[in-house]
Amino acid sequence: MVAAARRLGSLLDDLAASRGDLLPWAPVVFALGIGAFFSASEEPGVASALLAAVGIAAGLVLRVRGAERWHVPAVALVLVLAGLLASMARTQMVAAPVLADRYYGPVTGRVVGIDRSFSDQVRLTLDDVTLNVVARSRTPERVRIALHGDDGFAAEPGQLVRLVAHLSPPDSPVEPGGFDFQRIAWYARLGAVGYTRDPVTILASAQRETDVWAFRARIALSRAMQSRMEGQAGAFAAALMTGDRSGVSRATTEALRDSNLSHLISISGLHMGLLTGFVFALCRYGLALVPPVALRLDTKKIAAIAALLAACFYLFLAGPSVATRRAFIMAAVMLSAVLLDRRALSLRSVAIAAMIVLGLEPESLVEPGFQMSFGATVALIVAFQHWKGIAHRVPSLLRPAVALCLSSLAAGTATAPIAAAHFNRIAEYGFVANLAAVPLMGLAVMPAGVIAGLLAPLGLAGPALWVMETGCRLILTIAETVAGLDGAVIPVPAPAASVMPLVSLGAIAIALSRARWLNLLGASGVALGLLSWSLAERPLVLVAAEGRLVGVMTERGRALSKETGASFVASSWLEADGDQAEQAEAYARKAFVGIRGKVSAGLGPFTLWHVTGKLAARRAEDLCRPGAIVVMEGYWHGGRPQCLLYDAQSLARTGALALGLDQSGRVQQLAARDLSGKRLWNDRALRAWRLDN
């Protein structure tokens, strides 16, 4: 005990001595509190908030009045609890009504968003929503509707429209531990999603509301660019400059994703960095050509101010999406560092940007965009810190090429596990695709876009737009070529929930620490996380919420109970299995046999039945016998079931299910609700109480 106490005291003394170098760790510790909030099984209440506040006060007192060796632990305690409190506050602040049940009928609202759905349909986001027979206090603040029957409708920002739509609450995870759309929708204040097959009626043309000025400018510029550039090259260019992705087809999106170039179409740190970097260089070197100005003024700071203004305009134009705000904050912090005569690109500036992003939007922590942006940035900084020490050994003519390869390798290595965990795929040739495409973005596409914007008022944007269109066409050609190569995509099964925290914390320890023992601990965390990922087993049986689909794992992969229908659920399951099969291929594996609406599969000592359609209730009553597992689409109307029964009512309580067999042959069940917990975004009673109070 004495030896352990001495070692602890020595460690605290070392931390106290090096606390000036611990700033990069601040967002990591802050994120621990955010992670604790999102991993909780129940929504933290007032008591938790009070305890956290008391803990913060105690930490501050310890920091001010305690011994110096306790200063760092006190700050760490404050940061962890502050992360928890920030998450709680943000979750309460965004609270908005969520549709209680399915709805079919008239929907009236104002157009505040235009994009494309999973099925490649134009999709409208409406606010100021009115629903028939739904009280105003229970009407969602925002709804999102796919236009299945009117794909050619050219919506205008701010239009008041009316349509007849099928709406439902945001979907729960398609499997236990799967992607939680309910949580994403909660923070976006999206209270219902759905579709319409009927034409959209315009009730009022777009008004001059100030809150849609940016949206109107974005759509106008996007359509102007697409009118000057043909095909997907124009849609791609418009997405780069304005964030409007409604013209980008699903085929283009998949080609970019399969070639690891999807980050090019989402306005992120890369775009903001290229834009501000070009404006900074243009201003600085332009002013250097005017000797009286260059000799009297600090052109570097003038260029930084100009670049910051350009970043502000880009934020206004591209819209306040999470990725765009995050990119702006990173650029603003780095340009502010230039104004304050500090290093623009350093781990400290990245840490400050991360703290601002997480403080404003703690939910960003669990989103792939945040993880990939900051992971890539940290990897690049660390890589080029080492590059400085060896660059002189490389011939000067080769240094740009080697630096480009190093940057692609560092960023790709940092983001590959994150992309694999979220999207269940690794782009095998992504390194090559980025080597070819990113220089085109930096040297041609983004500079041409800026120049076109400057020359457009003079009517001289044509040549710059041609350069931009040519560059975009080349990037899309690279994406399609790479995506079409054999083995371009390596499917990866979904990891367990503990894998990415282990891998991420381990990688951060390696990147940020100079202590050898911490580097070894970090490497062990990464190795343990990857090992547990490789040994993970997928569920034997998956049951979709409401009983729409059932999937059984076989030697050839997961077999599905339906050839069509519930396509999003089917694709999500197969991707999470690391399986590239389409739904029809998975159905053809023939683990299920029977007639349409009544199929069965063997499951150890049980027979697993899936019954759907209008006759589901009657068929379920006939099949529900001892030794049977019956999954039915609809409600059970019989008495006490003699089988293990899952109907719409029971699945509404549990969400999607994962079923397995233990060593004695008994059925084991894991529900999506077991892992999602009782949170504001998924519990109707809890949410209603919050909104009523």
Side-chain angles (χ1 to χ4, degrees):
M1 290 292 292
V2 175
R6 287 177 178 174
R7 283 196 292 270
L8 176 61
S10 177
L11 176 61
L12 292 174
D13 290 338
D14 292 341
L15 289 173
S18 62
R19 65 175 181 266
D21 298 324
L22 296 178
L23 178 60
W25 285 95
V28 180
V29 180
F30 188 73
L32 293 177
I34 299 173
F37 172 81
F38 284 106
S39 61
S41 59
E42 292 189 5
E43 192 70 27
V46 176
S48 299
L50 291 175
L51 286 174
V54 171
I56 290 175
L60 292 175
V61 170
L62 184 61
R63 170 65 180 83
V64 173
R65 298 188 177 183
E68 186 175 358
R69 63 166 56 181
W70 292 103
H71 287 181
V72 172
V75 172
L77 174 65
V78 169
L79 286 174
V80 170
L81 296 177
L84 177 62
L85 274 182
S87 303
M88 295 173 64
R90 170 72 175 167
T91 304
Q92 298 290 334
M93 288 170 59
V94 300
V98 175
L99 192 65
D101 208 342
R102 292 186 180 276
Y103 170 88
Y104 173 71
V107 181
T108 303
R110 185 181 63 153
V111 178
V112 293
I114 307 170
D115 64 348
R116 280 191 177 268
S117 68
F118 170 79
S119 56
D120 211 22
Q121 303 292 334
V122 172
R123 193 166 59 183
L124 303 181
T125 300
L126 309 178
D127 73 353
D128 195 17
V129 178
T130 300
L131 305 178
N132 281 13
V133 305
V134 178
R136 190 67 183 175
S137 61
R138 298 296 182 185
T139 300
E141 185 173 310
R142 290 190 170 198
V143 301
R144 195 168 66 191
I145 302 172
L147 308 183
H148 287 185
D150 197 4
D151 188 57
F153 174 68
E156 295 291 339
Q159 281 179 333
L160 186 65
V161 298
R162 182 184 179 88
L163 42 83
V164 177
H166 297 262
L167 296 180
S168 61
D171 290 334
S172 59
V174 298
E175 65 172 275
F179 172 71
D180 194 345
F181 178 63
Q182 288 179 321
R183 185 185 66 226
I184 300 298
W186 177 261
Y187 288 99
R189 297 185 177 183
L190 189 64
V193 295
Y195 67 93
T196 181
R197 300 189 186 279
D198 299 325
V200 179
T201 302
I202 301 173
L203 298 180
S205 59
Q207 302 299 314
R208 295 292 180 181
E209 298 99 332
T210 57
D211 60 336
V212 293
W213 278 357
F215 183 29
R216 185 178 295 112
R218 177 162 65 254
I219 296 300
L221 179 58
S222 173
R223 290 175 178 170
M225 292 180 68
Q226 293 183 63
S227 69
R228 301 284 296 274
M229 305 181 194
E230 295 182 357
Q232 286 298 290
F236 182 75
L240 296 180
M241 300 306 297
T242 69
D244 174 28
R245 299 171 59 176
S246 61
V248 180
S249 69
R250 182 179 178 183
T252 298
T253 301
E254 289 183 348
L256 291 166
R257 185 173 63 172
D258 292 347
S259 59
N260 199 29
L261 294 178
S262 57
H263 62 94
L264 298 183
I265 205 172
S266 174
I267 292 180
S268 60
L270 173 66
H271 303 74
M272 194 71 75
L274 292 174
L275 174 77
T276 55
F278 178 74
V279 172
F280 181 88
L282 185 67
C283 290
R284 189 173 187 189
Y285 292 115
L287 292 174
L289 297 176
V290 186
V293 175
L295 293 173
R296 290 174 173 80
L297 301 176
D298 190 338
T299 57
K300 184 178 181 181
K301 293 185 177 180
I302 294 175
I305 293 172
L308 186 58
L309 292 175
C312 291
F313 177 74
Y314 197 31
L315 174 67
F316 166 80
L317 183 64
S321 69
V322 174
T324 310
R325 285 196 298 266
R326 181 170 58 243
F328 171 77
I329 290 170
M330 292 179 67
V333 168
M334 293 174 187
L335 291 170
S336 298
V338 173
L339 294 174
L340 297 174
D341 296 316
R342 299 288 189 271
R343 285 178 56 195
L345 195 61
S346 67
L347 291 175
R348 289 191 170 203
S349 61
V350 173
I352 293 171
M355 284 294 294
I356 295 173
V357 171
L358 291 176
L360 294 175
E361 296 173 337
E363 69 275 13
S364 297
L365 178 68
V366 294
E367 297 174 2
F370 174 88
Q371 297 168 12
M372 295 178 74
S373 293
F374 282 95
T377 304
V378 171
L380 287 171
I381 292 173
V382 173
F384 278 93
Q385 285 176 347
H386 293 288
W387 166 248
K388 289 179 182 179
I390 62 173
H392 64 279
R393 301 179 185 177
V394 180
S396 56
L397 292 177
L398 295 178
R399 286 176 193 168
V402 174
L404 177 61
C405 291
L406 177 63
S407 62
S408 293
L409 182 62
T413 302
T415 57
I418 302 171
H422 287 283
F423 307 119
N424 305 115
R425 60 180 60 205
I426 295 176
E428 188 171 6
Y429 306 116
F431 175 71
V432 176
N434 277 277
L435 280 180
V438 171
L440 274 173
M441 277 284 294
L443 299 177
V445 174
M446 292 302 289
V450 174
I451 293 171
L454 294 174
L455 296 179
L458 304 177
L460 301 175
L465 289 176
W466 178 85
V467 172
M468 189 178 191
E469 179 183 3
T470 303
C472 290
R473 202 172 299 282
L474 286 172
I475 290 174
L476 293 181
T477 300
I478 292 169
E480 292 167 0
T481 302
V482 171
L485 296 174
D486 289 338
V489 176
I490 301 174
V492 178
S498 60
V499 168
M500 287 314 295
L502 267 176
V503 172
S504 300
L505 289 174
I508 289 170
I510 295 172
L512 301 187
S513 177
R514 299 176 185 175
R516 186 175 180 182
W517 68 270
L518 196 51
N519 291 154
L520 292 174
L521 186 62
S524 300
V526 172
L528 181 60
L530 295 178
L531 178 62
S532 63
W533 193 347
S534 66
L535 298 177
E537 294 185 2
R538 292 287 295 154
L540 177 61
V541 178
L542 286 172
V543 178
E546 301 179 358
R548 293 175 293 171
L549 189 68
V550 179
V552 176
M553 185 63 75
T554 70
E555 293 181 355
R556 293 181 297 167
R558 191 171 302 280
L560 300 178
S561 61
K562 294 171 67 175
E563 186 175 11
T564 59
S567 58
F568 178 75
V569 175
S571 63
S572 298
W573 285 356
L574 293 170
E575 286 182 4
D577 290 337
D579 190 342
Q580 292 182 291
E582 298 291 335
Q583 182 173 356
E585 296 176 63
Y587 171 77
R589 288 166 179 164
K590 294 300 181 183
F592 289 90
V593 295
I595 62 175
R596 182 182 178 89
K598 178 185 174 183
V599 294
S600 66
L603 186 64
F606 299 93
T607 300
L608 173 63
W609 291 94
H610 184 213
V611 291
T612 58
K614 295 180 179 179
L615 300 177
R618 184 185 304 171
R619 287 169 173 169
E621 291 184 23
D622 295 338
L623 298 171
C624 191
R625 298 290 181 266
I629 302 173
V630 178
V631 178
M632 61 176 293
E633 185 180 23
Y635 293 91
W636 172 258
H637 298 302
R640 182 180 181 88
Q642 299 179 10
C643 62
L644 186 56
L645 177 73
Y646 299 104
D647 70 338
Q649 184 176 7
S650 64
L651 290 170
R653 294 192 299 267
T654 63
L657 294 174
L659 305 179
L661 298 176
D662 61 17
Q663 294 181 348
S664 62
R666 290 177 298 185
V667 176
Q668 292 181 316
Q669 171 185 308
L670 179 64
R673 188 59 179 270
D674 294 337
L675 298 182
S676 299
K678 187 178 181 180
R679 309 305 302 267
L680 271 175
W681 49 82
N682 64 24
D683 189 275
R684 185 184 304 178
L686 184 64
R687 186 166 54 242
W689 182 89
R690 165 64 182 85
L691 293 172
D692 289 341
N693 291 274

